[in-house]
């Protein structure tokens, strides 16, 4: 159709049609740009920060063309095929918090636990078949881990969902290998398949309160995924007929998205029975003009009558740009109509992706495998584009944090009786300025320089002294953090 698939990753598509990242080096991690009146800035990502040796947050470029919603941007950029880092950036693309990982990180976002804002993500290993083996992590506003949630029944928690509920529970997915009769789709009687599970787990105790088995409620014949030589259900070639990729609690129901049936399911939270299907081969709803979707991700109930989702493909053959959709659902009349769509008409996310409705009418759309995040205004026009970070999902949220760890300080150079000193505080959101204290005696440190915080790592030049300390200052001038004393080689 002649569409521009901007930033598209030529990746390795995994069994079941769900890839996670391209081959190492295919993701553009070095997008460039400069500050301008148009609002474009490439976040600072040098070869390494002096104050965080070995850390190298991925570089992203943010271009603003209109009014964006408040809050910071949350992504988990891929590093090759099996690793991703947790990253929070501001509207200039400047890092606020960075956590490197030797594993895969997905779904970094702000949620609520026990009435307080918390930072959550999934972390673990990517497995063949487009799923993972790991756990959900909950951090407080000091970035200290307060909970780690595991799947029950001896299963590994999957990368596709880690959703907290207002009941003090977490919703997780899992992909155990089971056998199923694949004859309805031309496969073997005892076919090897991923039998998707959804569990609701009490965060405090780890008790499994609900364990939903997709194959008990979804027929194999509902799948839209063709079997291939590599995934035909024979031994060693596990087939993925369902591929659950999002779960959300809504009252006494769960809203479940299954990519490989191209359908959403409303599930009774108590009995596990499917109340209705939306989309796919057995839809209970008539879909109005523009409301059809396929290979979707991230279905969310906005209220009793509206659902948002990320439509990866407009048609089953993948033609067309991906879209963020808001559908009106009339459960009595069994009709679904298109309320709003968010698309720039060109960007295509082959796999992964999400849409987040924001206060004030904006919507944030993450294109998953394509290293693009676009924020749309209430009229559907793009107001912000971030490139350079291919991430399973992307979010914008208010976030206020003060790390439990102390600020860091490092001396860059000493020359001509003066020294260049750098300071940072990974994850702090309320640092307005840095004050540097120096002296030969750690007990008599006095102010040598005070500078406005400008980037993740802020520097100042001052007279050489044997010792230096960095103090983080709030907007009112109060000290909110202090580094350890750093000796200076003179």
């Amino acid at each position: 159709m002649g569409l521009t698939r901007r930033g598209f990753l030529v990746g390795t598509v995994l069994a079941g049609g769900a890839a996670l990242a391209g081959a190492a080096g295919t993701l553009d991690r070095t997008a460039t740009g400069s500050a301008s009146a148009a609002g474009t800035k490439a976040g600072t990502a040098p070869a390494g920060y002096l104050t965080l040796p070995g850390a190298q947050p991925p570089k992203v470029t943010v271009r603003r063309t209109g009014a964006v919603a408040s809050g910071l941007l949350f992504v988990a950029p891929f590093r090759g095929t099996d690793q991703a880092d947790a990253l929070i950036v501001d509207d200039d693309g400047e890092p606020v918090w960075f956590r490197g990982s030797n594993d895969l990180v997905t779904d970094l976002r702000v949620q609520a636990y026990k009435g307080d804002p918390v930072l959550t993500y999934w972390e673990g290993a990517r497995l063949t078949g487009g799923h993972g083996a790991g756990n959900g992590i909950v951090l407080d506003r000091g970035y200290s881990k307060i909970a780690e949630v595991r799947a029950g029944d001896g299963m590994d928690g999957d990368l596709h969902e880690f959703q907290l509920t207002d009941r003090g529970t977490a919703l997780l997915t899992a992909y155990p290998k089971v056998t199923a009769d694949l004859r309805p789709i031309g496969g073997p009687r005892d076919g090897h398949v991923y039998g998707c599970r959804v569990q609701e787990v009490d965060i405090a105790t780890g008790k499994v309160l609900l364990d939903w088995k997709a194959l008990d409620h979804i027929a194999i014949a509902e799948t839209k995924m063709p079997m291939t030589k590599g995934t035909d259900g024979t031994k060693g070639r596990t087939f993925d007929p369902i591929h659950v990729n999002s779960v959300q609690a809504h009252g006494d129901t769960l809203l479940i998205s299954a990519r490989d049936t191209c359908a959403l399911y409303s599930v009774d939270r108590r009995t596990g029975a499917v109340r209705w299907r939306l989309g796919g081969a057995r839809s209970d709803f008539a879909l109005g003009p523009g409301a059809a979707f396929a290979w979707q991700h991230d279905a969310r109930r906005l209220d009793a009558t509206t659902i948002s989702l990320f439509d990866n493909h407009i048609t089953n053959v993948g033609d067309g740009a991906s879209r963020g959709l808001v559908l009106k659902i009339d459960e009595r009349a069994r009709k679904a109509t298109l309320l709003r769509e968010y698309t720039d008409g060109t960007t295509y996310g082959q796999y992964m992706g999400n849409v987040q409705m924001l206060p004030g009418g904006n919507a944030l759309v993450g294109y998953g495998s394509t290293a693009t995040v676009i924020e749309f205004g209430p009229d559907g026009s793009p107001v912000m584009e971030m490139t350079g970070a291919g991430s399973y999902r992307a979010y914008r949220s208010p976030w206020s944090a003060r790390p439990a760890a102390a600020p860091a300080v490092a001396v860059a150079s000493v020359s001509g009786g003066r020294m260049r000193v750098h300071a940072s505080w990974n994850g702090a959101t309320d640092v307005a300025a840095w004050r540097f204290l120096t002296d030969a005696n750690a007990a008599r440190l006095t102010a040598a320089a005070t500078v406005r915080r400008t980037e993740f790592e802020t520097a100042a030049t001052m007279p050489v002294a044997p010792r230096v300390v960095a103090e983080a200052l709030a907007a009112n001038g109060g000290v909110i953090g202090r580094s350890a004393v750093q000796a200076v080689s003179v």
Side-chain angles (χ1 to χ4, degrees), residues 112-126:
Y113 179 54
K114 296 183 177 179
D116 293 324
V118 291
L119 192 64
T120 67
Y121 55 90
W122 178 93
E123 185 173 32
R126 178 186 67 79

Side-chain angles (χ1 to χ4, degrees), residues 360-391:
N362 283 16
L364 191 77
V365 177
Y367 287 85
S369 57
T370 296
T372 298
V373 178
I374 299 177
E375 183 171 339
F376 296 87
D379 65 353
S381 299
V383 296
M384 184 278 294
E385 181 179 53
M386 179 171 71
T387 56
S391 179

Side-chain angles (χ1 to χ4, degrees), residues 157-467:
D158 171 55
L159 61 89
H160 286 94
E161 189 63 272
F162 182 52
Q163 175 88 32
L164 306 191
T165 78
D166 57 8
R167 300 180 182 181
T169 64
L171 295 168
L172 305 169
T173 56
Y175 276 63
K177 292 182 180 180
V178 300
T179 58
D181 187 350
L182 298 182
R183 286 178 297 172
I185 56 173
R189 177 194 295 268
D190 295 319
H192 296 259
V193 301
Y194 292 112
C196 290
R197 303 264 284 270
V198 172
Q199 292 189 338
E200 184 170 5
V201 178
D202 183 85
I203 296 174
T205 66
K207 182 180 180 180
V208 177
L209 305 179
L210 176 148
D211 191 355
W212 187 79
K213 300 178 181 180
L215 289 175
D216 286 349
H217 304 277
I218 301 174
I220 289 290
E222 291 185 46
T223 190
K224 296 284 189 177
M225 179 58 63
M227 288 188 294
T228 66
K229 183 177 180 180
T231 58
D232 59 7
T234 57
K235 188 174 181 180
R237 297 173 176 177
T238 310
F239 182 60
D240 189 359
I242 310 296
H243 199 86
V244 169
N245 59 26
S246 75
V247 186
Q248 182 206 18
H250 181 77
D252 63 351
T253 65
L254 298 177
L255 180 64
I256 295 175
S257 168
R259 173 185 170 100
D260 287 357
T261 65
C262 298
L264 310 183
Y265 300 84
S266 178
V267 172
D268 188 292
R269 202 168 175 180
R270 182 179 61 86
T271 67
V274 173
R275 293 187 177 183
W276 51 250
R277 291 162 167 81
L278 175 62
R282 293 179 53 189
S283 182
D284 295 309
F285 291 78
L287 299 177
F293 55 86
W295 314 107
Q296 78 291 333
H297 286 76
D298 194 44
R300 304 293 166 188
R301 280 269 199 179
L302 304 181
D303 55 40
T305 62
T306 53
I307 290 174
S308 67
L309 60 94
F310 181 72
D311 178 20
N312 291 75
H313 304 66
I314 293 177
T315 72
N316 288 345
V317 296
D319 292 332
S322 300
R323 309 178 295 169
L325 298 183
V326 179
L327 304 179
K328 181 176 178 60
I329 307 300
D330 186 333
E331 294 193 38
R332 177 174 296 180
R334 289 295 198 250
K335 292 182 179 179
T337 55
L338 177 65
L339 284 182
R340 292 182 296 278
E341 69 173 5
Y342 301 94
T343 179
D344 64 354
T346 61
T347 307
Y348 172 73
Q350 184 188 23
Y351 44 88
M352 305 182 290
N354 72 307
V355 57
Q356 178 194 16
M357 304 307 298
L358 299 169
N362 283 16
L364 191 77
V365 177
Y367 287 85
S369 57
T370 296
T372 298
V373 178
I374 299 177
E375 183 171 339
F376 296 87
D379 65 353
S381 299
V383 296
M384 184 278 294
E385 181 179 53
M386 179 171 71
T387 56
S391 179
Y392 170 54
R393 291 175 181 163
Y395 299 92
R396 178 188 285 282
S397 299
W399 176 243
S400 176
R402 190 172 295 177
V409 64
V411 178
S413 61
V414 177
S415 178
R418 299 182 68 79
M419 61 182 181
R420 186 75 169 167
V421 183
H422 293 241
S424 70
W425 200 6
N426 189 21
T429 60
D430 52 358
V431 178
W434 288 99
R435 181 163 62 205
F436 296 91
L437 312 177
T438 62
D439 200 90
N441 187 328
R444 296 197 303 267
L445 293 166
T446 58
T450 301
V451 295
R452 180 174 63 88
R453 180 194 179 278
T454 55
E455 297 177 343
F456 178 85
E457 189 172 72
T458 300
T461 301
M462 63 206 72
V464 172
R467 294 175 178 83

Side-chain angles (χ1 to χ4, degrees), residues 32 51 53 67 85 333 375 453 472:
T32 58
T51 53
D85 303 322
E375 183 171 339
R453 180 194 179 278

